[in-house]
């Protein structure tokens, strides 16, 4: 299968990115699929207007991917902007996309409620996302539950195009593992850079500890029994633990005598054990920016090789001459 997914380099990678996306990226590569993983720096312009920070975060996200185990010999890692053909495809798709389809997108409404300005980039975000997916003929798109509607919009846009011009575009399917569809943040809401409630994968040891120990809890005392199913701490801890271990933790929550500080320490210890090697590799990559750039250039070439035939077919279908 052809797999595609991307992440906005508008902030530092966090637990939600790993369990909601990167973990699945690694699985798809291990299964031998043709995988395209891009850094959506065009998308990031809807929320980040700082040239230096965008450049830094984009390069950093590529290093994060490599540190977490994505092998550039087995998948394409590239910057969205290094495949400019995607913007041409976006325009062509825009001409068949109904306004009502975009007006119904909940992500647009949510971001407006968060205080972002209602500009065209934010409104048309799903069409660019559709172009990202369709240009490589992706079969499956690993996404979080909150992005499922955008994949449905991509499917609708592709169907509108195919209905007008013939069966040119592949209709993709979302891939959302239910057990990690939404990773909770420190405040109980979905973990998101937008909410400033993340636990960052590559922050300093001290900052990781601060973030974990700031996870919100209720006022229950150590001696009181606690409901694990209503606990944000339990929801985060179980990301790291086996079913047997989680059953033991659940029993301790219900029995009383368990302090929240102990649970937070367990999360911290599990975090460091899980990501220790990746964090060391990430520090090494900070000294190898030329290697990271080579990876991005190689990935862009792979994406262009996949995208050019599709864009050529789209141009032919709509009556735009190919150069």
């Amino acid at each position: 299968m052809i797999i595609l997914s991307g992440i906005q380099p508008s902030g530092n990678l966090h637990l939600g990115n790993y369990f909601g996306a990167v973990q699945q990226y690694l699985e798809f590569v291990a299964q031998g699929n043709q995988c395209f993983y891009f850094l959506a720096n065009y998308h990031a312009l809807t929320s980040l207007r700082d040239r230096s920070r965008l450049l830094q975060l984009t390069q950093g996200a590529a290093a994060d991917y490599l540190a977490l185990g994505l092998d550039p010999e087995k998948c394409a890692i590239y910057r969205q902007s290094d495949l400019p053909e995607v913007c041409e495809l976006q325009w062509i798709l825009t001409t068949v996309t109904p306004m009502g389809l975009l007006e119904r997108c909940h992500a647009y409404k949510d971001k407006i409620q968060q205080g972002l300005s209602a500009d065209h980039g934010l409104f048309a975000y799903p069409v660019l996302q559709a172009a990202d997916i369709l240009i490589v003929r992706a079969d499956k798109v690993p996404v979080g539950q909150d992005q499922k509607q955008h994949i449905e919009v991509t499917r609708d846009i592709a169907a509108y195009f195919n209905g007008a011009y013939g069966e040119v575009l592949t209709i993709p399917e979302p891939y959302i593992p239910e057990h990690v569809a939404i990773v909770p943040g420190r405040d109980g809401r979905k973990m998101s850079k937008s909410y400033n409630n993340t636990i960052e994968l590559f922050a300093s040891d001290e900052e990781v500890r601060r973030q974990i120990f700031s996870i919100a809890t209720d006022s229950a005392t150590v001696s009181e029994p606690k409901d694990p199913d209503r606990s944000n701490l339990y929801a985060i801890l179980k990301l790291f633990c086996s079913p047997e271990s989680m059953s033991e933790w659940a029993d301790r929550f219900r029995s009383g005598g368990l302090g929240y500080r102990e649970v937070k320490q367990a999360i911290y210890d599990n975090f460091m054990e899980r990501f220790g090697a990746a964090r060391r590799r990430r520090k090494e990559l900070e000294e190898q920016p030329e290697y990271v750039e080579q990876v991005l250039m190689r990935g862009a070439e792979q994406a262009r090789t996949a995208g050019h035939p599709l864009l050529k077919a789209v141009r032919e279908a709509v009556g735009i001459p190919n150069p």
Side-chain angles (χ1 to χ4, degrees), residues 143-158:
V143 292
Q145 184 67 44
D146 62 314
Q147 287 287 310
K148 181 180 179 182
Q149 187 189 48
H150 280 179
I151 307 307
E152 293 170 348
V153 169
T154 295
R155 290 169 54 84
D156 289 341
I157 292 172

Side-chain angles (χ1 to χ4, degrees), residues 80-100:
Q80 184 184 33
S81 58
D82 288 332
L83 187 61
E85 294 86 354
V86 76
C87 290
E88 179 179 351
L89 180 58
Q90 180 200 19
W91 171 252
I92 295 173
L93 295 177
T94 295
T95 66
V96 299
T97 302
M99 286 284 289

Side-chain angles (χ1 to χ4, degrees), residues 160-172:
Y160 285 128
F161 183 91
N162 288 347
Y165 296 109
E167 298 298 315
V168 177
L169 301 177
T170 299
I171 309 294

